[in-house]
Every structure is written in C-alpha cells, then in structure tokens.
Amino acid sequence: MPNQKLSSQRIRFQLQQLECLMHPDVDKAAPYLWNIFFRIDGQCMKITERLRFDGRVMAHFSEGSHDNLEVEATRIKEAIAIPKEVGEWTTNIEPLFLPLFEQPIPAVFGLLSVCMEKGNVSAKGAEAGHQVLNEAIVAAVNQLLADFEPKHINLEDPVNSVKTYFQEKAAPYIKGIPRKVIAAVQKEQSIFQNIWTLVNKDEFVGLHAWYFTQRELLQKNGLLDL
C-alpha cells in the first residue's frame, strides 16, 4: 500500500501468548514479563530543518513483576495467555513531518519484551528492578534520538533508515542496563534478602525487540498480534 495516505491512526499492540520451549525443572518455572512499548511520532517528536529529532519518546510500561502472568509453574510446550495489562497497549499515532521536502513520513514504534523467571528475589526487589529498567530504556532511546544525525537518513527511504539505525545502534546504549537493574534490586532488599537471593536468583530468560513503521501497520489494519 505505498500510496495509502498517512494520517492519525488508532493502533493496538498485543502480545497474546508465551510458550515454554524447554526448561530443566519445569515444576518450578514461574515466568514473568517486563514489556516496554514506545512510539516516535508527530505527537511527541518533530524533525527540525537540520534533520535532527526534537522531543522525547512516548512510552508505555507493562504492570507488575512477580506473578504478572498469573502462573506459578509452566510445562514444556504449554502456552500461557498474557494478560492485557502486561501485553497490550492501545494508542493513537500521527505521522512525522519532514521539513524542506514538505512531506509526512510514517511514525516508528516498537516493543522491548524481557522474560524473567522467578527465584528468591523479593517482590519489592523485582519491582524496583522493573522500574529502573523502564527508566533506563527510555533514557537510552531518547539518547539514540538525540545522537541521530542527518547522515543516517536515506532520503529515498527515510523511515526504514531510521528503523535500521535503531536496530543497529541500540546495543551500546543499553549495555550497562542489567547492572543498574541488579543494583536497584539489591538496594531495595535487606542484607539477608540479598543473601537468600544469591541461593536462587531470578533468572533472565531472554528478550526480544520489535520495530515497526506506520506504513507496515497500515498493511495490518492497525492491529499487531505478536
């Protein structure tokens, strides 16, 4: 749909299921998710005449840490339904406007999903780490935007050049975030809780990042079921 007109649009991001593929001790596998949704669009950001971003990313965070998937154990190949408050974001987006060329360009939006497994970290400790993760990821994305330079823009395909920039350049900006999360957990807990955590800490299972453009969304009728 290359000629479809860009305009304000209602979208729904939705993670529907989480599946356990393998685990050495499935009777004790209690996963939880931290999801960070974000959008870079004409409501929160503008492109200056120097082709730099001016503004801050708009973000939405999933609720809760321990037990936010409402399961205490999982089995291999078992699909877990992800609650809406954890895996869904409904919002409005507007295209950005490219000055000088006098044309709108599609918004960019995405999701970073972190899967954890519950161990001996306290509920308050896990949520403290969650909040620091949220803050650090938003700060990293805003720094990526601030450091974006015109040389990164392919004028024949400006939207995908921005998307590619994020995919290729994000890693160095988020390298130190796990250390900050661990420090936040330890600060929230007592000495005895931190010792107990060392016996069986919460485990990092994995993460995945999705990036989309408004043009791709138009092809999906405003719904992203991941």
Side-chain angles (χ1 to χ4, degrees):
M1 300 181 184
N3 297 319
Q4 190 164 352
K5 184 178 179 180
L6 294 172
S7 60
S8 178
Q9 189 174 4
R10 188 76 168 167
I11 68 168
R12 188 185 74 212
F13 240 142
Q14 185 176 25
L15 290 174
Q16 295 186 318
Q17 293 183 333
L18 180 69
E19 183 177 339
C20 178
L21 298 179
M22 60 181 295
H23 196 280
D25 191 0
V26 295
D27 290 335
K28 296 183 179 179
Y32 58 97
L33 283 179
W34 290 337
N35 291 321
I36 301 172
F37 304 85
F38 65 89
R39 58 177 168 82
I40 303 166
D41 74 334
Q43 296 181 76
C44 64
M45 194 77 54
K46 71 176 182 179
I47 302 175
T48 69
E49 292 186 356
R50 294 185 177 184
L51 301 182
R52 303 295 293 265
F53 285 106
D54 181 19
R56 296 180 64 82
V57 66
M58 178 62 67
H60 172 76
F61 310 116
S62 61
E63 295 182 12
S65 293
H66 285 175
D67 305 319
N68 69 355
L69 295 180
E70 302 173 359
V71 293
E72 295 182 359
T74 59
R75 298 178 183 276
I76 294 176
K77 298 297 182 181
E78 179 181 5
I80 302 168
I82 300 173
K84 289 185 177 182
E85 59 270 20
V86 177
E88 184 175 314
W89 184 33
T90 301
T91 186
N92 292 321
I93 58 172
E94 293 183 5
L96 291 151
F97 186 77
L98 191 62
L100 305 180
F101 297 89
E102 302 296 324
Q103 64 174 332
I105 64 172
V108 176
F109 48 97
L111 164 64
L112 176 68
S113 184
V114 178
C115 184
M116 301 288 293
E117 181 189 334
K118 184 178 177 181
N120 288 347
V121 170
S122 67
K124 287 185 177 180
E127 187 56 24
H130 182 197
Q131 295 305 316
V132 166
L133 175 71
N134 290 343
E135 294 167 3
I137 291 296
V138 169
V141 174
N142 282 325
Q143 191 61 54
L144 274 166
L145 290 168
D147 292 346
F148 188 87
E149 297 180 356
K151 66 181 180 181
H152 297 300
I153 297 180
N154 176 354
L155 295 178
E156 295 183 357
D157 191 6
V159 177
N160 280 319
S161 63
V162 174
K163 179 180 175 181
T164 299
Y165 168 78
F166 271 90
Q167 291 173 324
E168 294 179 351
K169 304 295 183 181
Y173 290 84
I174 63 176
K175 185 177 181 180
I177 291 177
R179 184 172 62 252
K180 294 179 181 178
V181 172
I182 292 171
V185 171
Q186 293 174 339
K187 183 178 179 181
E188 181 63 32
Q189 298 188 145
S190 68
I191 293 176
F192 296 106
Q193 285 175 319
N194 283 329
I195 293 174
W196 180 235
T197 294
L198 290 175
V199 175
N200 180 26
K201 65 182 183 297
D202 285 22
E203 295 286 347
F204 169 75
V205 177
L207 67 82
H208 191 80
W210 288 271
Y211 300 92
F212 297 94
T213 69
Q214 189 177 2
R215 187 70 72 190
E216 290 170 316
L217 181 65
L218 286 171
Q219 298 173 356
K220 298 177 181 293
N221 299 316
L223 299 176
L224 289 175
D225 294 324
L226 305 175

